[in-house]
Amino acid sequence: MALLHRSTIVPGKLDLAAAWIGRQPWWTGGSDTSLTKPGAFRLDDPEGRVGIEFIVAGTVSGALLLLPLTYRDAPLEGAEAGLLGTMEHSVLGTRWTYDAAVDPVALAAVIEVVRTGGTQAREMIDGPDGPVERVPSVLAHGSVRAAGDGRTGGTVPVLGIAPASDVVAASDVVTSSDAVSTTVTLPNAQLVVRRLLDGRWTPDDATGLLSATWGDVVDVPIVAVRSA
């Protein structure tokens, strides 16, 4: 469950991201990096310390990008290359904002959802009369490929995808990006995060998938997981 607060955040998430995406190899939108937010979903940190949000962001050219972000109450050692900057949250204070591709807590959450056929986190907004559930604007689910048949299924265990608890420290996470994706290499798995959501991605060699639905876009793969 993701507990959200009614708050003000300065700078805003998309403002912070806009200053960062222009330096990424998958950004092809020119000098105008302003973004809109068609939708987002959250994943759970079992310890409740790290906010994990996957934002579907729109560009002025009409393209859609996937911006997976994490929000922390202190710097993440070894993840300096993925730091977007800091935000001031009116309830939680200073939040260090990272590209989730370098954050082991977010990577663990993705692996866990894929392994178990899970879904996005429930979003609860804190209010004067207690938390109120909010329906996510993007729905996500994990799936794995059943051994021997090549098909995706809900909860079939797959050898080679390690439990989330086995994900390593940030200093051991290796990332590389091209024009459409970021590849994350771990000792126990490899994840490919699709940055450009153009609807044409079919990762046939994936052991498991994290897929998303928003608006009239249905069940689009956004992260592929491969066994090590």
Side-chain angles (χ1 to χ4, degrees):
M1 181 183 72
L3 180 61
L4 311 178
H5 301 275
R6 301 181 190 276
S7 61
T8 57
I9 303 175
V10 180
K13 300 170 185 176
L14 295 186
D15 293 331
L16 196 63
W20 176 76
I21 59 175
R23 304 191 299 272
Q24 309 312 309
W26 38 266
W27 173 254
T28 58
S31 59
D32 189 346
T33 59
S34 56
L35 299 169
T36 60
K37 185 180 177 181
F41 68 90
R42 298 258 180 167
L43 296 181
D44 272 324
D45 169 20
E47 297 186 0
R49 292 181 56 88
V50 179
I52 307 169
E53 185 175 25
F54 281 65
I55 297 174
V56 176
T59 71
V60 292
S61 66
L64 290 178
L65 303 175
L66 182 67
L67 299 177
L69 303 177
T70 60
Y71 313 116
R72 288 176 163 267
D73 60 5
L76 175 60
E77 184 177 354
E80 293 78 11
L83 178 65
L84 276 67
T86 58
M87 304 182 299
E88 294 302 319
H89 191 289
S90 60
V91 177
L92 300 176
T94 303
R95 304 295 282 171
W96 279 259
T97 302
Y98 289 90
D99 175 18
V102 305
D103 193 319
V105 171
L107 300 173
V110 171
I111 290 173
E112 192 66 14
V113 169
V114 170
R115 289 180 71 249
T116 62
T119 65
Q120 76 284 338
R122 294 176 63 197
E123 297 183 10
M124 307 298 292
I125 301 178
D126 196 15
D129 299 320
V132 177
E133 186 163 5
R134 181 177 72 179
V135 177
S137 50
V138 177
L139 302 178
H141 71 92
S143 60
V144 295
R145 293 178 186 264
D149 66 11
R151 296 176 298 177
T152 57
T155 58
V156 181
V158 175
L159 295 176
I161 297 183
S165 58
D166 291 344
V167 173
V168 294
S171 58
D172 294 319
V173 176
V174 178
T175 64
S176 62
S177 294
D178 57 25
V180 294
S181 301
T182 297
T183 299
V184 183
T185 302
L186 307 169
N188 54 18
Q190 185 180 74
L191 294 81
V192 180
V193 180
R194 185 70 172 186
R195 301 290 191 169
L196 181 62
L197 300 177
D198 56 8
R200 296 194 298 269
W201 193 34
T202 54
D204 294 332
D205 59 343
T207 310
L209 298 173
L210 179 66
S211 302
T213 294
W214 66 92
D216 58 357
V217 179
V218 179
D219 212 23
V220 172
I222 58 173
V223 181
V225 180
R226 302 185 179 112
S227 57

